[in-house]
Each structure stands twice: as structure tokens, then as C-alpha cells.
Amino acid sequence: MRLFVSIDLPDEFTADIETVQDEFADASGLSFTDPEQAHVTLKFLGDVNGGELPRVKNALRRAIEKAEVEPFEATYEGLGVFPDLGYIQVLWLGVGDGSEEMTALHEATEREVTRLGFDPEDHDFTPHVTLARMEHAGGKELVQENVEQLDPTVGTTEVPEIRLTESVLTDDGPEYSTVESFALE
């Protein structure tokens, strides 16, 4: 199973995410993510043997306990890119309120799953929702302009849980399904 740990955005944000993506529709080279599958990835685990699932689930329960994060409000707003505006690979929607809680959950998850042998992250964590990936730089200037000029707010919602999510790669892009949800305490 190809797994990651996520915070999923509510369905009612789908249209607003599409509206933000539409601002970049004329940018050649962008491959947009499915707004119906919008999420913040707390930790990408990769391929996991089914026999390891109980250990992963226990690690996530411990991470929630150690992070000491109760259900919280998160505001999805602002734009950014990875790694930088000079060389764009990912276009993303940011997190304002709630970013500290997401970072605490990421750090606790990172500690617990690396103890199981998963690879540690090789970059700093920035809570974000991927809007598009840049496959070639044809529309780079439009992306740069929009990131610098636009400041969208998609909305604020309560985050009551994190999810262990499976990603199945298909010809139409990845399809996500929840393996298990873990309530924040």
C-alpha cells in the first residue's frame, strides 16, 4: 500500500480551490491536482507492507498523544511555490491559522514513524495544499506574477482528525482513500 498521513479539506472548499486554480489556467506547464482530493500531507510514508499497518496505526496514535493537539481551526490562504520562484516545481495554497498545530502533528508523526524505519524528511515542513505541479517552465512568468499578486483565502474549518490515506496511482491520476481516521484529543 502506498500511504501518507493527511489532513483533508472539507468538500465545501472544492469550488474555491478550483477558483484559485483557474487563476493559473493559462500557465503552460502546470498539471493541476484534483480539488476534490485537497489535503495537507503531514508525512509521506510510501510503500507499506500490509503486515506493518498495525505498527503504523499505533505510531500515529502515539504521535497524536505526544503532539498534545486538540481539534483546532485552520485557515487555508495565500500562495507559495517549492522550491522557490526562480525554479518552480510545486504551486501551493498555504495555511495561516492552524499551521502551528499542523507542524506539531507533523513533528510528532515524523518522530514516531522514523522509529519504525521510515525515512526522515530531508526538508523543512511547510503546511500546504498542493494545487499544481510544474512539468515545464512555459508558464513560469504567469505563475510568478500570480503568486506575488494574489492572496486568496479559501476558508476556515475545524480539524478534528488526521488520516492514514492510501494513494492508488491510475492513468487519470492518484485516487485517495482513507485507511483509518485518528481523532485529535
Side-chain angles (χ1 to χ4, degrees):
M1 302 174 79
R2 187 171 184 258
L3 301 176
F4 61 94
V5 181
S6 68
I7 292 173
D8 294 356
L9 276 64
D11 292 341
E12 59 262 25
F13 286 3
T14 300
D16 290 326
I17 291 169
E18 284 178 338
T19 299
V20 174
Q21 289 175 321
D22 286 348
E23 295 286 346
F24 296 87
D26 292 336
S28 169
L30 282 182
S31 172
F32 294 98
T33 58
D34 181 350
E36 292 181 6
Q37 299 187 123
H39 66 275
V40 173
T41 299
L42 294 176
K43 174 69 177 171
F44 181 75
L45 300 174
D47 292 326
V48 177
N49 180 310
E52 288 293 303
L53 265 181
R55 292 179 65 217
V56 170
K57 291 177 182 180
N58 286 333
L60 295 179
R61 289 184 193 98
R62 285 192 308 273
I64 287 174
E65 186 179 312
K66 292 180 179 179
E68 298 180 343
V69 173
E70 296 177 356
F72 63 94
E73 297 263 308
T75 301
Y76 298 94
E77 62 186 1
L79 296 170
V81 298
F82 291 133
D84 58 53
L85 282 171
Y87 180 72
I88 300 168
Q89 291 181 306
V90 174
L91 168 66
W92 50 261
L93 174 69
V95 179
D97 292 340
S99 63
E100 289 180 20
E101 290 88 343
M102 288 186 192
T103 299
L105 288 165
H106 158 77
E107 289 172 352
T109 299
E110 178 81 2
R111 279 191 301 273
E112 293 301 320
V113 299
T114 54
R115 287 184 183 146
L116 298 180
F118 289 93
D119 292 335
E121 295 292 338
D122 59 359
H123 57 274
D124 291 338
F125 177 72
T126 300
H128 69 280
V129 177
T130 299
L131 297 174
R133 289 181 172 72
M134 187 144 234
E135 296 174 348
H136 65 77
K140 177 179 164 182
E141 289 176 4
L142 176 59
V143 174
Q144 290 168 326
E145 277 179 32
N146 283 352
V147 167
E148 290 175 341
Q149 294 175 6
L150 302 177
D151 190 21
T153 297
V154 167
T156 300
T157 188
E158 181 166 316
V159 177
E161 65 189 10
I162 64 172
R163 294 182 182 179
L164 181 60
T165 304
E166 180 178 13
S167 172
V168 176
L169 301 177
T170 72
D171 291 341
D172 297 326
E175 291 182 3
Y176 304 138
S177 61
T178 301
V179 175
E180 189 166 330
S181 298
F182 301 87
L184 301 179
E185 301 169 358

